[in-house]
Amino acid sequence: MKIMSYAGITKSNFLLVHPDLPALSFCRSHLSSSSILMVTSNYEKRFRLITRFRYSVADRTSASSVDASVSKPYTGRLGGKQRSSTSLYSRPSLIEMKNERIANRAKVYDFLRGIGIVPDELDGLELPVTIEVMRERVDFLHNLGLTIEDINNYPLVLGCSVKKNMIPVLDYLGKLGVRKSTFTGFLRRYPQVLHASVVVDLAPVVKYLQGLDIKPNDIPRVLERYPEVLGFKLEGTMSTSVAYLVGIGVARREIGGVLTRYPEIVGMRVGRVIKPFVEYLESLGIPRLAIAKLIEQRPHILGFGLEERVKPNVDTLVEFNVRKEALPLVVAQYPEIIGIDLKPKLLGQQSLLNSLTELSLEDFGSVVEKMPQVVSVTNNAILKHVGFLKDCGFSLQQVTKIVVGCPQVLALNIDIMKLSFDFFQREMKRPLDDLIAFPAFFTYGLQSTIKPRHKMIVKKGLKCSLSWLLNCSDEKFEERMNYDTIDMEEMEMVPSFDMNTLMVRSDDSNSEYEEDSDDEYL
């Protein structure tokens, strides 16, 4: 029996296909305003199938309802599988996936707690879904020398992939020359580097440092000393701190050396750290150009805390009878004196010298003014030098005068002092009073200065003081040898330290920054 089927299409968005029996004959479709599909056989009784198919082009949605009693031949003819009523993208599957992630994360947290790591800060951070991967990260960090305590100090490091983050960064640092032996300390100070991109974050900073005249061979040492530099923005603190230093007189050609010795400068805020420090030293009486020279020579002084250390130390110096007008020379001679724990050192040296000599409190202040480094001279050295002077035949009072007149005798090479004293007695044959009057005799070179000058005045038949003989340059001494008489005014002693020596500035260090532009750093 043939079954004839008629298909009626009433709308362009309506399509009905009924593949069923192997031998179906379809008549040509007729388009009409309302067509009826008729099947000559009793469809309800033979197939018990009601098919509704709606398709909407507008919203691209579909819904189907198929009787569960469709015969197997029907399904086979469609060539497809009978679909479940639940889709892979429906809400229940997403919930299941979410629950699975929560369960996996809980297992990872349990693992971390079990080895002593507190995972509280890891919420919201993408972590491995398995314990095995997390164990790999922890083991890798352990192999770098980091402890559980180190990881707890910065637990976000556990969000770094070993292959995608850690290894590329460490390989790059190694290629730059950063020593593997320093990796542990490097990562303890700046573990955030493991999050960085070599191309986007690290390489531009290294290039910028090289542009500041830091030699390529010095880059590894700079990074080892101050790894935090890799996290600074080029257009931020790094550029402004360098610009300010050049602005106050630090020679541009010296910037590379300054940053190599003390790279922490690039992380200092000008308005909060550098500028207040410079202005305070100026208020003490140190010229700005001299401050710039001090920074070139000892850039680490910028790291002395102004409120915590520098100002209290200056007050302490005044407390120990250092005159306020002498403070500029004291700081310029020995800048470290404003950065150390000063008061205990002053108390200790004052007590020691009082026990060895007749040094008064005022005398001690004078000693510090002339040689502020005395605060760092060891007790053993002071004992030996005072003992040497006593062995030379000086009385306790005379030793006191020598120490007050030239405190440097407490820190000179004692073997050279012995040689100079032997020459003074045997060849020069002068009285001890000459040494009391000019104890700086011990600070001059025996072979380079004392012997040749003594020979010249003996040959010329001149009699002069040790000060006239030694306290001048070689050129000046040559002039003196042409004198018929000795000018007594030239016998006056000059200060042991001259602030002007810090004021010498090369032509190419002229700054293109105006001093009145400091306001931009506030």
Side-chain angles (χ1 to χ4, degrees), residues 8-16 31-33 54-58:
I9 303 176
T10 61
K11 296 182 181 179
S12 59
N13 65 345
F14 183 90
L15 174 64
L16 177 61
L31 295 174
S32 63
S33 60
R54 297 190 307 271
Y55 183 81
S56 173
V57 175

Side-chain angles (χ1 to χ4, degrees), residues 234-292:
L234 304 184
E235 67 279 6
T237 304
M238 293 177 69
S239 59
T240 55
S241 58
V242 171
Y244 181 81
L245 291 180
V246 175
I248 65 171
V250 176
R252 287 191 295 270
R253 67 181 183 183
E254 299 293 336
I255 288 294
V258 167
L259 297 180
T260 298
R261 295 195 300 277
Y262 196 68
E264 289 87 346
I265 289 175
V266 297
M268 292 180 176
R269 301 295 296 271
V270 172
R272 296 179 183 176
V273 180
I274 303 179
K275 190 171 183 286
F277 180 86
V278 171
E279 291 177 345
Y280 180 73
L281 293 188
E282 280 187 294
S283 71
L284 295 178
I286 304 176
R288 176 170 286 204
L289 194 56
I291 297 172

